[in-house]
Amino acid sequence: MIGVIRNSLAKLTPAERRVAEIILDTPHTAITWSISDAARMAKVSEPTVIRFCRQLGCDGFPSFRLRLAQALTVLRPETEPVLSGKAKPEAAVLDDIFARAGKAIDEARADMDIAVLRKSVKLLVGARRIDIYGYGGSGFIASEAQHRFASLGLASVSYSDPTLQMVSAPMLRRQDAVLAISFSGRNSYLIGNVELAKKAGARIVSIAPSGSLIAEIADQNIGLNAHRSGNSYNYVPTGRVAMHVVLDALTALMAGAMSFSTSAASASAPLRR
């Protein structure tokens, strides 16, 4: 059920998404709530909570709560830092940030689809050139991706400026690829430029929330449902940390695929006498 909620985030209305996010933040507490508690915590109406439940295939909040409780029984119990009255507030902040970062990484691993990763690796490794698009916070990850790909000997360039993306996209061809990185999957600049690249013939791999507009455009989407719409400082570990780890995994798989291809080519080469 946790995975179903995370995968539905991009398809929910803003009000329904607030319900989803507050439940994802405290799932073990959420199973004790009444529908009025859920509405109050998410700052939405009770009908919105019901619509959220129906989006997930539940008749109402009681049946949703039951399915959530059943799902949580097979998950690792959440552990909250136990602090004494003399604990320093800085320690509490550190414990919270590190706990959330670890949880984000665990959830990112649960998001990964091996078949999609395999196809994405094949597409990227086989490309003549890889353009990497990101915007805002994702722009920093795009630059990091270029550094990783350069270390593999792949021709790549990152663009975090939407104007430069718009200039580069029409120049791409079928043998080229775009890696589009987006926390939210709904940035209008990025969506438009990825569409331009696809119309030019480039194949698209994205790292974005499942069901988002970016994911729908891409040939292959590596689903990462770490984005939260809130402006809390907790956004950083739940988004960027997970994205870095996914990029680590993608790079490692690409390196392995390239090594295997080189070994296979060497083995099939005719011996010279």
Side-chain angles (χ1 to χ4, degrees), residues 146-178:
Q146 180 187 355
H147 176 76
R148 307 281 180 87
F149 293 174
S151 69
L152 298 179
L154 296 172
S156 62
V157 60
S158 66
Y159 297 103
S160 57
D161 185 321
T163 303
L164 293 178
Q165 294 171 5
M166 185 171 59
V167 171
S168 79
M171 306 300 293
L172 299 173
R173 295 296 178 263
R174 178 65 185 172
Q175 60 269 41
D176 301 322
V178 168

Coordinates of all heavy atoms in Angstrom, one line a residue, residues 146-178:
Q146 N 26.7 14.4 -15.6 CA 27.6 14.6 -16.6 C 29.0 14.2 -16.2 O 29.8 13.5 -16.9 CB 27.7 16.0 -17.1 CG 28.7 16.3 -18.2 CD 28.9 17.8 -18.5 OE1 28.1 18.6 -18.0 NE2 29.8 18.1 -19.4
H147 N 29.4 14.5 -15.0 CA 30.7 14.1 -14.4 C 30.8 12.6 -14.3 O 31.8 12.0 -14.7 CB 30.8 14.7 -13.0 CG 32.1 14.3 -12.3 ND1 33.3 14.8 -12.6 CD2 32.3 13.4 -11.3 CE1 34.2 14.3 -11.8 NE2 33.6 13.4 -11.0
R148 N 29.7 11.9 -13.9 CA 29.8 10.5 -13.8 C 29.9 9.8 -15.2 O 30.7 8.9 -15.4 CB 28.5 9.9 -13.2 CG 28.1 10.5 -11.8 CD 28.9 10.0 -10.7 NE 28.5 10.6 -9.4 CZ 27.5 10.2 -8.7 NH1 26.8 9.1 -9.0 NH2 27.3 10.8 -7.5
F149 N 29.1 10.3 -16.2 CA 29.2 9.8 -17.5 C 30.5 10.0 -18.2 O 31.0 9.2 -19.0 CB 28.0 10.3 -18.4 CG 26.7 9.9 -17.9 CD1 25.5 10.4 -18.5 CD2 26.5 9.0 -16.9 CE1 24.3 10.0 -18.1 CE2 25.2 8.6 -16.5 CZ 24.1 9.1 -17.1
A150 N 31.1 11.2 -17.9 CA 32.4 11.5 -18.5 C 33.5 10.5 -18.0 O 34.4 10.1 -18.7 CB 32.8 12.9 -18.1
S151 N 33.3 10.1 -16.7 CA 34.3 9.1 -16.2 C 34.2 7.8 -16.8 O 35.1 7.0 -16.8 CB 34.1 9.0 -14.7 OG 32.8 8.3 -14.4
L152 N 33.0 7.5 -17.5 CA 32.8 6.3 -18.2 C 33.2 6.4 -19.7 O 33.2 5.5 -20.5 CB 31.3 5.9 -18.2 CG 30.8 5.6 -16.8 CD1 29.3 5.2 -16.9 CD2 31.5 4.4 -16.1
G153 N 33.7 7.6 -20.1 CA 34.1 7.9 -21.4 C 32.9 8.1 -22.4 O 33.1 8.0 -23.6
L154 N 31.7 8.5 -21.8 CA 30.6 8.7 -22.7 C 30.5 10.2 -23.0 O 30.7 11.1 -22.1 CB 29.3 8.3 -21.9 CG 29.2 6.8 -21.7 CD1 28.0 6.5 -20.8 CD2 29.1 6.0 -23.0
A155 N 30.1 10.5 -24.2 CA 30.0 11.9 -24.7 C 28.7 12.5 -24.1 O 27.6 12.0 -24.4 CB 30.0 12.0 -26.2
S156 N 28.8 13.4 -23.2 CA 27.6 13.9 -22.5 C 27.8 15.4 -22.2 O 28.9 15.8 -22.0 CB 27.2 13.1 -21.3 OG 28.3 13.2 -20.3
V157 N 26.7 16.1 -22.1 CA 26.7 17.5 -21.6 C 25.4 17.8 -20.9 O 24.3 17.3 -21.2 CB 26.8 18.5 -22.8 CG1 25.7 18.3 -23.8 CG2 27.0 19.9 -22.3
S158 N 25.5 18.5 -19.8 CA 24.3 18.8 -19.0 C 23.9 20.3 -19.2 O 24.7 21.2 -19.4 CB 24.6 18.6 -17.5 OG 25.6 19.6 -17.0
Y159 N 22.6 20.4 -19.2 CA 22.0 21.8 -19.3 C 21.0 22.0 -18.2 O 20.0 21.2 -18.1 CB 21.3 21.9 -20.7 CG 22.2 21.8 -21.9 CD1 22.2 20.6 -22.6 CD2 22.9 22.8 -22.3 CE1 23.0 20.5 -23.8 CE2 23.8 22.7 -23.5 CZ 23.8 21.5 -24.2 OH 24.5 21.4 -25.3
S160 N 21.2 23.0 -17.4 CA 20.2 23.4 -16.4 C 19.5 24.7 -16.8 O 18.5 25.0 -16.1 CB 20.9 23.5 -15.0 OG 21.9 24.5 -15.1
D161 N 19.9 25.3 -17.8 CA 19.3 26.5 -18.4 C 18.3 26.1 -19.4 O 18.6 25.5 -20.4 CB 20.4 27.4 -19.0 CG 19.8 28.8 -19.5 OD1 18.6 28.8 -20.0 OD2 20.5 29.8 -19.3
P162 N 17.0 26.4 -19.2 CA 16.0 26.0 -20.1 C 16.1 26.5 -21.5 O 15.7 25.9 -22.5 CB 14.6 26.5 -19.5 CG 15.0 27.5 -18.5 CD 16.4 27.1 -18.0
T163 N 16.7 27.7 -21.7 CA 17.0 28.3 -23.0 C 18.0 27.4 -23.7 O 17.8 27.2 -24.9 CB 17.5 29.7 -22.9 OG1 16.5 30.5 -22.2 CG2 17.6 30.3 -24.3
L164 N 19.1 27.0 -23.1 CA 20.1 26.2 -23.7 C 19.5 24.8 -24.0 O 19.8 24.2 -25.1 CB 21.3 26.0 -22.8 CG 22.1 27.3 -22.6 CD1 23.3 27.1 -21.6 CD2 22.6 27.9 -23.9
Q165 N 18.6 24.3 -23.2 CA 17.9 23.0 -23.5 C 17.1 23.2 -24.8 O 17.1 22.3 -25.6 CB 17.0 22.6 -22.3 CG 17.8 22.3 -21.0 CD 16.8 22.1 -19.9 OE1 15.6 22.1 -20.1 NE2 17.3 21.9 -18.7
M166 N 16.4 24.3 -24.9 CA 15.6 24.5 -26.0 C 16.4 24.6 -27.3 O 15.9 24.2 -28.4 CB 14.8 25.8 -25.8 CG 13.7 26.1 -26.9 SD 12.7 27.5 -26.5 CE 13.9 28.8 -26.2
V167 N 17.6 25.2 -27.2 CA 18.5 25.3 -28.4 C 19.1 23.9 -28.8 O 19.2 23.5 -29.9 CB 19.6 26.3 -28.1 CG1 20.7 26.2 -29.2 CG2 19.1 27.7 -28.0
S168 N 19.4 23.1 -27.8 CA 20.1 21.8 -28.0 C 19.1 20.7 -28.5 O 19.4 19.9 -29.3 CB 20.8 21.3 -26.8 OG 20.0 20.7 -25.9
A169 N 17.9 20.8 -28.0 CA 16.9 19.7 -28.2 C 16.7 19.4 -29.7 O 16.7 18.3 -30.2 CB 15.6 20.0 -27.5
P170 N 16.4 20.5 -30.6 CA 16.1 20.2 -32.0 C 17.3 19.7 -32.7 O 17.1 19.1 -33.9 CB 15.7 21.6 -32.5 CG 15.4 22.4 -31.3 CD 16.2 21.9 -30.2
M171 N 18.5 19.8 -32.2 CA 19.7 19.3 -32.9 C 19.9 17.8 -32.6 O 20.8 17.2 -33.3 CB 20.9 20.1 -32.4 CG 20.8 21.6 -32.5 SD 20.5 22.1 -34.2 CE 22.1 21.7 -34.9
L172 N 19.2 17.2 -31.8 CA 19.4 15.8 -31.5 C 18.8 14.9 -32.5 O 17.8 15.3 -33.2 CB 18.8 15.4 -30.1 CG 19.4 16.2 -28.9 CD1 18.6 15.9 -27.6 CD2 20.9 15.8 -28.7
R173 N 19.3 13.7 -32.6 CA 18.8 12.7 -33.6 C 18.5 11.4 -33.0 O 18.7 11.2 -31.8 CB 19.8 12.6 -34.8 CG 20.1 13.8 -35.6 CD 18.8 14.2 -36.3 NE 19.0 15.5 -37.1 CZ 18.6 16.7 -36.6 NH1 18.0 16.8 -35.4 NH2 18.8 17.8 -37.4
R174 N 18.1 10.4 -33.8 CA 17.7 9.1 -33.3 C 18.7 8.4 -32.5 O 18.5 7.7 -31.5 CB 17.2 8.2 -34.5 CG 16.8 6.8 -34.1 CD 15.5 6.8 -33.3 NE 15.2 5.5 -32.8 CZ 14.2 5.2 -31.9 NH1 13.5 6.2 -31.4 NH2 13.9 4.0 -31.6
Q175 N 20.0 8.6 -32.9 CA 21.1 7.9 -32.2 C 21.5 8.6 -30.9 O 22.4 8.1 -30.2 CB 22.3 7.8 -33.1 CG 22.9 9.1 -33.6 CD 22.3 9.5 -35.0 OE1 21.1 9.4 -35.2 NE2 23.1 10.0 -35.9
D176 N 20.8 9.7 -30.6 CA 21.1 10.5 -29.4 C 20.1 10.1 -28.3 O 19.0 9.6 -28.5 CB 21.1 12.0 -29.6 CG 22.1 12.3 -30.7 OD1 23.2 11.8 -30.8 OD2 21.8 13.2 -31.5
A177 N 20.5 10.5 -27.0 CA 19.6 10.3 -25.9 C 19.5 11.5 -25.0 O 20.5 12.3 -24.9 CB 20.0 9.0 -25.1
V178 N 18.5 11.6 -24.3 CA 18.3 12.6 -23.3 C 18.0 12.0 -21.9 O 17.2 11.1 -21.9 CB 17.2 13.6 -23.6 CG1 16.8 14.5 -22.4 CG2 17.5 14.5 -24.8

